[in-house]
PDB file of all heavy atoms in Angstrom:
ATOM      1  N   HIS A 172     -19.732  53.710   0.681  1.00  0.00           N
ATOM      2  CA  HIS A 172     -21.175  54.084   0.383  1.00  0.00           C
ATOM      3  C   HIS A 172     -21.826  54.490   1.677  1.00  0.00           C
ATOM      4  O   HIS A 172     -22.586  55.455   1.766  1.00  0.00           O
ATOM      5  CB  HIS A 172     -21.869  52.990  -0.261  1.00  0.00           C
ATOM      6  CG  HIS A 172     -21.674  52.805  -1.799  1.00  0.00           C
ATOM      7  ND1 HIS A 172     -22.609  53.265  -2.674  1.00  0.00           N
ATOM      8  CD2 HIS A 172     -20.592  52.309  -2.467  1.00  0.00           C
ATOM      9  CE1 HIS A 172     -22.171  53.082  -3.950  1.00  0.00           C
ATOM     10  NE2 HIS A 172     -20.974  52.520  -3.884  1.00  0.00           N
ATOM     11  N   SER A 175     -21.126  57.978   3.065  1.00  0.00           N
ATOM     12  CA  SER A 175     -21.314  59.132   2.207  1.00  0.00           C
ATOM     13  C   SER A 175     -22.634  59.879   2.388  1.00  0.00           C
ATOM     14  O   SER A 175     -22.865  60.926   1.871  1.00  0.00           O
ATOM     15  CB  SER A 175     -21.133  58.753   0.770  1.00  0.00           C
ATOM     16  OG  SER A 175     -22.252  57.860   0.349  1.00  0.00           O
ATOM     17  N   ILE A 176     -23.460  59.256   3.232  1.00  0.00           N
ATOM     18  CA  ILE A 176     -24.897  59.749   3.190  1.00  0.00           C
ATOM     19  C   ILE A 176     -25.109  61.010   3.925  1.00  0.00           C
ATOM     20  O   ILE A 176     -26.226  61.691   3.662  1.00  0.00           O
ATOM     21  CB  ILE A 176     -25.871  58.679   3.694  1.00  0.00           C
ATOM     22  CG1 ILE A 176     -25.581  58.341   5.130  1.00  0.00           C
ATOM     23  CG2 ILE A 176     -25.780  57.433   2.861  1.00  0.00           C
ATOM     24  CD1 ILE A 176     -26.639  57.531   5.881  1.00  0.00           C
ATOM     25  N   TYR A 177     -24.403  61.399   4.923  1.00  0.00           N
ATOM     26  CA  TYR A 177     -24.647  62.695   5.629  1.00  0.00           C
ATOM     27  C   TYR A 177     -23.728  63.795   5.133  1.00  0.00           C
ATOM     28  O   TYR A 177     -22.488  63.547   5.111  1.00  0.00           O
ATOM     29  CB  TYR A 177     -24.475  62.412   7.123  1.00  0.00           C
ATOM     30  CG  TYR A 177     -25.502  61.506   7.767  1.00  0.00           C
ATOM     31  CD1 TYR A 177     -25.128  60.256   8.242  1.00  0.00           C
ATOM     32  CD2 TYR A 177     -26.884  61.888   7.744  1.00  0.00           C
ATOM     33  CE1 TYR A 177     -26.136  59.415   8.813  1.00  0.00           C
ATOM     34  CE2 TYR A 177     -27.819  60.982   8.342  1.00  0.00           C
ATOM     35  CZ  TYR A 177     -27.471  59.805   8.835  1.00  0.00           C
ATOM     36  OH  TYR A 177     -28.391  58.998   9.339  1.00  0.00           O
ATOM     37  N   PRO A 178     -24.270  64.929   5.046  1.00  0.00           N
ATOM     38  CA  PRO A 178     -23.389  66.114   4.621  1.00  0.00           C
ATOM     39  C   PRO A 178     -22.780  66.758   5.880  1.00  0.00           C
ATOM     40  O   PRO A 178     -22.949  67.902   6.141  1.00  0.00           O
ATOM     41  CB  PRO A 178     -24.437  67.051   3.956  1.00  0.00           C
ATOM     42  CG  PRO A 178     -25.659  66.740   4.678  1.00  0.00           C
ATOM     43  CD  PRO A 178     -25.744  65.297   5.090  1.00  0.00           C
ATOM     44  N   TYR A 236     -12.536  65.781   1.982  1.00  0.00           N
ATOM     45  CA  TYR A 236     -13.564  64.752   1.738  1.00  0.00           C
ATOM     46  C   TYR A 236     -14.858  64.736   2.708  1.00  0.00           C
ATOM     47  O   TYR A 236     -15.815  64.111   2.414  1.00  0.00           O
ATOM     48  CB  TYR A 236     -12.952  63.330   1.767  1.00  0.00           C
ATOM     49  CG  TYR A 236     -11.905  63.113   0.781  1.00  0.00           C
ATOM     50  CD1 TYR A 236     -10.553  63.032   1.169  1.00  0.00           C
ATOM     51  CD2 TYR A 236     -12.092  63.023  -0.615  1.00  0.00           C
ATOM     52  CE1 TYR A 236      -9.529  62.818   0.263  1.00  0.00           C
ATOM     53  CE2 TYR A 236     -11.092  62.873  -1.480  1.00  0.00           C
ATOM     54  CZ  TYR A 236      -9.796  62.790  -1.040  1.00  0.00           C
ATOM     55  OH  TYR A 236      -8.751  62.488  -1.983  1.00  0.00           O
ATOM     56  N   ASN A 237     -14.821  65.490   3.730  1.00  0.00           N
ATOM     57  CA  ASN A 237     -15.845  65.480   4.720  1.00  0.00           C
ATOM     58  C   ASN A 237     -15.981  64.137   5.516  1.00  0.00           C
ATOM     59  O   ASN A 237     -15.610  64.104   6.654  1.00  0.00           O
ATOM     60  CB  ASN A 237     -17.237  65.845   4.123  1.00  0.00           C
ATOM     61  CG  ASN A 237     -17.283  67.255   3.656  1.00  0.00           C
ATOM     62  OD1 ASN A 237     -16.293  67.926   3.506  1.00  0.00           O
ATOM     63  ND2 ASN A 237     -18.546  67.803   3.575  1.00  0.00           N
ATOM     64  N   ASN A 238     -16.368  63.138   4.745  1.00  0.00           N
ATOM     65  CA  ASN A 238     -16.485  61.800   5.409  1.00  0.00           C
ATOM     66  C   ASN A 238     -15.264  60.981   5.071  1.00  0.00           C
ATOM     67  O   ASN A 238     -15.068  60.538   3.930  1.00  0.00           O
ATOM     68  CB  ASN A 238     -17.721  61.111   4.850  1.00  0.00           C
ATOM     69  CG  ASN A 238     -19.073  61.809   5.460  1.00  0.00           C
ATOM     70  OD1 ASN A 238     -19.278  61.788   6.636  1.00  0.00           O
ATOM     71  ND2 ASN A 238     -19.753  62.375   4.549  1.00  0.00           N
TER      72      ASN A 238
ATOM     73  N   LEU B  40     -31.718  65.643  -2.262  1.00  0.00           N
ATOM     74  CA  LEU B  40     -30.538  65.186  -1.775  1.00  0.00           C
ATOM     75  C   LEU B  40     -30.448  65.506  -0.223  1.00  0.00           C
ATOM     76  O   LEU B  40     -30.820  66.515   0.196  1.00  0.00           O
ATOM     77  CB  LEU B  40     -29.298  65.796  -2.401  1.00  0.00           C
ATOM     78  CG  LEU B  40     -29.012  65.386  -3.853  1.00  0.00           C
ATOM     79  CD1 LEU B  40     -27.641  65.881  -4.397  1.00  0.00           C
ATOM     80  CD2 LEU B  40     -29.123  63.903  -4.073  1.00  0.00           C
ATOM     81  N   ASN B  41     -30.105  64.419   0.522  1.00  0.00           N
ATOM     82  CA  ASN B  41     -30.154  64.512   1.955  1.00  0.00           C
ATOM     83  C   ASN B  41     -31.405  64.836   2.638  1.00  0.00           C
ATOM     84  O   ASN B  41     -31.539  65.809   3.322  1.00  0.00           O
ATOM     85  CB  ASN B  41     -29.014  65.499   2.455  1.00  0.00           C
ATOM     86  CG  ASN B  41     -27.596  65.105   1.983  1.00  0.00           C
ATOM     87  OD1 ASN B  41     -26.921  65.736   1.201  1.00  0.00           O
ATOM     88  ND2 ASN B  41     -27.193  63.981   2.531  1.00  0.00           N
ATOM     89  N   ARG B  50     -30.940  71.375  -3.275  1.00  0.00           N
ATOM     90  CA  ARG B  50     -30.188  70.420  -3.959  1.00  0.00           C
ATOM     91  C   ARG B  50     -31.166  69.248  -4.433  1.00  0.00           C
ATOM     92  O   ARG B  50     -31.358  68.271  -3.787  1.00  0.00           O
ATOM     93  CB  ARG B  50     -29.090  69.832  -3.012  1.00  0.00           C
ATOM     94  CG  ARG B  50     -28.071  70.846  -2.667  1.00  0.00           C
ATOM     95  CD  ARG B  50     -26.819  70.239  -2.086  1.00  0.00           C
ATOM     96  NE  ARG B  50     -26.109  69.412  -3.070  1.00  0.00           N
ATOM     97  CZ  ARG B  50     -25.229  68.481  -2.724  1.00  0.00           C
ATOM     98  NH1 ARG B  50     -24.940  68.250  -1.447  1.00  0.00           N
ATOM     99  NH2 ARG B  50     -24.635  67.704  -3.640  1.00  0.00           N
ATOM    100  N   MET B  52     -32.280  66.615  -7.622  1.00  0.00           N
ATOM    101  CA  MET B  52     -31.657  65.941  -8.727  1.00  0.00           C
ATOM    102  C   MET B  52     -32.766  65.417  -9.748  1.00  0.00           C
ATOM    103  O   MET B  52     -33.842  64.986  -9.183  1.00  0.00           O
ATOM    104  CB  MET B  52     -30.923  64.669  -8.180  1.00  0.00           C
ATOM    105  CG  MET B  52     -30.281  63.827  -9.160  1.00  0.00           C
ATOM    106  SD  MET B  52     -29.637  62.356  -8.352  1.00  0.00           S
ATOM    107  CE  MET B  52     -27.935  62.668  -8.498  1.00  0.00           C
ATOM    108  N   SER B  73     -26.625  51.388   0.666  1.00  0.00           N
ATOM    109  CA  SER B  73     -26.664  52.708   1.293  1.00  0.00           C
ATOM    110  C   SER B  73     -27.724  53.549   0.535  1.00  0.00           C
ATOM    111  O   SER B  73     -28.653  53.043   0.072  1.00  0.00           O
ATOM    112  CB  SER B  73     -25.358  53.336   1.274  1.00  0.00           C
ATOM    113  OG  SER B  73     -25.244  54.438   2.236  1.00  0.00           O
ATOM    114  N   MET B  74     -27.519  54.911   0.504  1.00  0.00           N
ATOM    115  CA  MET B  74     -28.616  55.773   0.028  1.00  0.00           C
ATOM    116  C   MET B  74     -28.166  56.669  -1.104  1.00  0.00           C
ATOM    117  O   MET B  74     -27.373  57.603  -0.895  1.00  0.00           O
ATOM    118  CB  MET B  74     -29.159  56.553   1.249  1.00  0.00           C
ATOM    119  CG  MET B  74     -29.687  55.625   2.313  1.00  0.00           C
ATOM    120  SD  MET B  74     -29.667  56.385   3.972  1.00  0.00           S
ATOM    121  CE  MET B  74     -31.238  57.236   3.920  1.00  0.00           C
ATOM    122  N   TYR B  75     -28.683  56.425  -2.219  1.00  0.00           N
ATOM    123  CA  TYR B  75     -28.345  57.139  -3.416  1.00  0.00           C
ATOM    124  C   TYR B  75     -28.589  58.717  -3.333  1.00  0.00           C
ATOM    125  O   TYR B  75     -27.875  59.419  -3.868  1.00  0.00           O
ATOM    126  CB  TYR B  75     -29.122  56.543  -4.684  1.00  0.00           C
ATOM    127  CG  TYR B  75     -28.682  57.175  -6.044  1.00  0.00           C
ATOM    128  CD1 TYR B  75     -27.431  56.815  -6.479  1.00  0.00           C
ATOM    129  CD2 TYR B  75     -29.539  58.028  -6.663  1.00  0.00           C
ATOM    130  CE1 TYR B  75     -26.984  57.395  -7.704  1.00  0.00           C
ATOM    131  CE2 TYR B  75     -29.126  58.614  -7.818  1.00  0.00           C
ATOM    132  CZ  TYR B  75     -27.844  58.371  -8.347  1.00  0.00           C
ATOM    133  OH  TYR B  75     -27.398  58.851  -9.607  1.00  0.00           O
ATOM    134  N   LEU B  76     -29.688  58.953  -2.572  1.00  0.00           N
ATOM    135  CA  LEU B  76     -30.027  60.413  -2.359  1.00  0.00           C
ATOM    136  C   LEU B  76     -29.419  61.012  -1.151  1.00  0.00           C
ATOM    137  O   LEU B  76     -29.707  62.154  -0.844  1.00  0.00           O
ATOM    138  CB  LEU B  76     -31.467  60.604  -2.447  1.00  0.00           C
ATOM    139  CG  LEU B  76     -32.226  60.205  -3.792  1.00  0.00           C
ATOM    140  CD1 LEU B  76     -33.733  60.310  -3.665  1.00  0.00           C
ATOM    141  CD2 LEU B  76     -31.709  61.033  -4.964  1.00  0.00           C
ATOM    142  N   GLY B  77     -28.730  60.172  -0.392  1.00  0.00           N
ATOM    143  CA  GLY B  77     -28.114  60.639   0.921  1.00  0.00           C
ATOM    144  C   GLY B  77     -29.273  60.656   1.959  1.00  0.00           C
ATOM    145  O   GLY B  77     -30.435  60.475   1.735  1.00  0.00           O
ATOM    146  N   SER B  78     -28.836  61.025   3.198  1.00  0.00           N
ATOM    147  CA  SER B  78     -29.806  61.049   4.300  1.00  0.00           C
ATOM    148  C   SER B  78     -29.661  62.379   5.024  1.00  0.00           C
ATOM    149  O   SER B  78     -28.895  63.252   4.638  1.00  0.00           O
ATOM    150  CB  SER B  78     -29.541  59.836   5.243  1.00  0.00           C
ATOM    151  OG  SER B  78     -30.514  59.752   6.262  1.00  0.00           O
ATOM    152  N   ASP B 403     -22.463  55.067  -8.897  1.00  0.00           N
ATOM    153  CA  ASP B 403     -21.586  56.179  -8.493  1.00  0.00           C
ATOM    154  C   ASP B 403     -22.479  57.098  -7.644  1.00  0.00           C
ATOM    155  O   ASP B 403     -23.534  57.529  -7.976  1.00  0.00           O
ATOM    156  CB  ASP B 403     -21.215  56.931  -9.896  1.00  0.00           C
ATOM    157  CG  ASP B 403     -20.397  58.121  -9.606  1.00  0.00           C
ATOM    158  OD1 ASP B 403     -20.474  58.758  -8.664  1.00  0.00           O
ATOM    159  OD2 ASP B 403     -19.539  58.337 -10.582  1.00  0.00           O
ATOM    160  N   VAL B 404     -21.932  57.352  -6.466  1.00  0.00           N
ATOM    161  CA  VAL B 404     -22.602  58.295  -5.537  1.00  0.00           C
ATOM    162  C   VAL B 404     -21.833  59.554  -5.276  1.00  0.00           C
ATOM    163  O   VAL B 404     -21.959  60.276  -4.222  1.00  0.00           O
ATOM    164  CB  VAL B 404     -22.910  57.617  -4.140  1.00  0.00           C
ATOM    165  CG1 VAL B 404     -24.008  56.581  -4.281  1.00  0.00           C
ATOM    166  CG2 VAL B 404     -21.637  56.988  -3.562  1.00  0.00           C
ATOM    167  N   SER B 405     -20.962  59.934  -6.260  1.00  0.00           N
ATOM    168  CA  SER B 405     -20.097  61.122  -5.969  1.00  0.00           C
ATOM    169  C   SER B 405     -21.005  62.389  -5.952  1.00  0.00           C
ATOM    170  O   SER B 405     -20.432  63.446  -5.404  1.00  0.00           O
ATOM    171  CB  SER B 405     -19.075  61.272  -7.131  1.00  0.00           C
ATOM    172  OG  SER B 405     -19.615  61.286  -8.384  1.00  0.00           O
ATOM    173  N   HIS B 406     -22.166  62.444  -6.334  1.00  0.00           N
ATOM    174  CA  HIS B 406     -23.023  63.597  -6.195  1.00  0.00           C
ATOM    175  C   HIS B 406     -23.284  63.922  -4.657  1.00  0.00           C
ATOM    176  O   HIS B 406     -23.708  65.029  -4.384  1.00  0.00           O
ATOM    177  CB  HIS B 406     -24.386  63.435  -6.874  1.00  0.00           C
ATOM    178  CG  HIS B 406     -25.100  62.244  -6.468  1.00  0.00           C
ATOM    179  ND1 HIS B 406     -24.899  60.946  -7.121  1.00  0.00           N
ATOM    180  CD2 HIS B 406     -26.076  61.995  -5.623  1.00  0.00           C
ATOM    181  CE1 HIS B 406     -25.653  60.124  -6.671  1.00  0.00           C
ATOM    182  NE2 HIS B 406     -26.376  60.668  -5.621  1.00  0.00           N
ATOM    183  N   LEU B 407     -22.998  62.908  -3.820  1.00  0.00           N
ATOM    184  CA  LEU B 407     -23.191  63.079  -2.396  1.00  0.00           C
ATOM    185  C   LEU B 407     -21.981  63.806  -1.698  1.00  0.00           C
ATOM    186  O   LEU B 407     -21.981  64.144  -0.588  1.00  0.00           O
ATOM    187  CB  LEU B 407     -23.505  61.757  -1.618  1.00  0.00           C
ATOM    188  CG  LEU B 407     -24.801  61.122  -2.046  1.00  0.00           C
ATOM    189  CD1 LEU B 407     -24.916  59.822  -1.258  1.00  0.00           C
ATOM    190  CD2 LEU B 407     -26.039  61.924  -1.705  1.00  0.00           C
ATOM    191  N   TYR B 408     -20.836  63.803  -2.482  1.00  0.00           N
ATOM    192  CA  TYR B 408     -19.614  64.254  -1.910  1.00  0.00           C
ATOM    193  C   TYR B 408     -19.557  65.833  -1.914  1.00  0.00           C
ATOM    194  O   TYR B 408     -20.320  66.424  -2.620  1.00  0.00           O
ATOM    195  CB  TYR B 408     -18.358  63.801  -2.762  1.00  0.00           C
ATOM    196  CG  TYR B 408     -18.251  62.268  -2.881  1.00  0.00           C
ATOM    197  CD1 TYR B 408     -17.443  61.712  -3.869  1.00  0.00           C
ATOM    198  CD2 TYR B 408     -18.836  61.396  -1.938  1.00  0.00           C
ATOM    199  CE1 TYR B 408     -17.323  60.368  -4.005  1.00  0.00           C
ATOM    200  CE2 TYR B 408     -18.684  60.071  -2.088  1.00  0.00           C
ATOM    201  CZ  TYR B 408     -17.972  59.536  -3.104  1.00  0.00           C
ATOM    202  OH  TYR B 408     -17.858  58.173  -3.265  1.00  0.00           O
ATOM    203  N   PRO B 409     -18.734  66.371  -1.113  1.00  0.00           N
ATOM    204  CA  PRO B 409     -18.656  67.802  -1.015  1.00  0.00           C
ATOM    205  C   PRO B 409     -18.303  68.409  -2.380  1.00  0.00           C
ATOM    206  O   PRO B 409     -17.435  67.853  -3.005  1.00  0.00           O
ATOM    207  CB  PRO B 409     -17.590  68.188   0.020  1.00  0.00           C
ATOM    208  CG  PRO B 409     -16.833  66.803   0.194  1.00  0.00           C
ATOM    209  CD  PRO B 409     -17.795  65.764  -0.103  1.00  0.00           C
ATOM    210  N   GLU B 410     -18.917  69.523  -2.775  1.00  0.00           N
ATOM    211  CA  GLU B 410     -18.659  70.096  -4.066  1.00  0.00           C
ATOM    212  C   GLU B 410     -17.333  70.899  -4.076  1.00  0.00           C
ATOM    213  O   GLU B 410     -16.854  71.426  -3.075  1.00  0.00           O
ATOM    214  CB  GLU B 410     -19.710  70.926  -4.532  1.00  0.00           C
ATOM    215  CG  GLU B 410     -20.970  70.057  -4.899  1.00  0.00           C
ATOM    216  CD  GLU B 410     -22.195  71.007  -5.137  1.00  0.00           C
ATOM    217  OE1 GLU B 410     -22.316  71.615  -6.146  1.00  0.00           O
ATOM    218  OE2 GLU B 410     -23.103  70.953  -4.206  1.00  0.00           O
TER     219      GLU B 410
END
Side-chain angles (χ1 to χ4, degrees):
Chain A
H172 275 260
S175 68
I176 62 166
Y177 292 115
Y236 300 109
N237 292 18
N238 292 294
Chain B
L40 294 188
N41 298 115
R50 295 194 69 198
M52 180 186 250
S73 198
M74 298 156 86
Y75 185 71
L76 298 175
S78 187
D403 184 327
V404 288
S405 54
H406 54 275
L407 297 176
Y408 301 161
E410 288 171 72

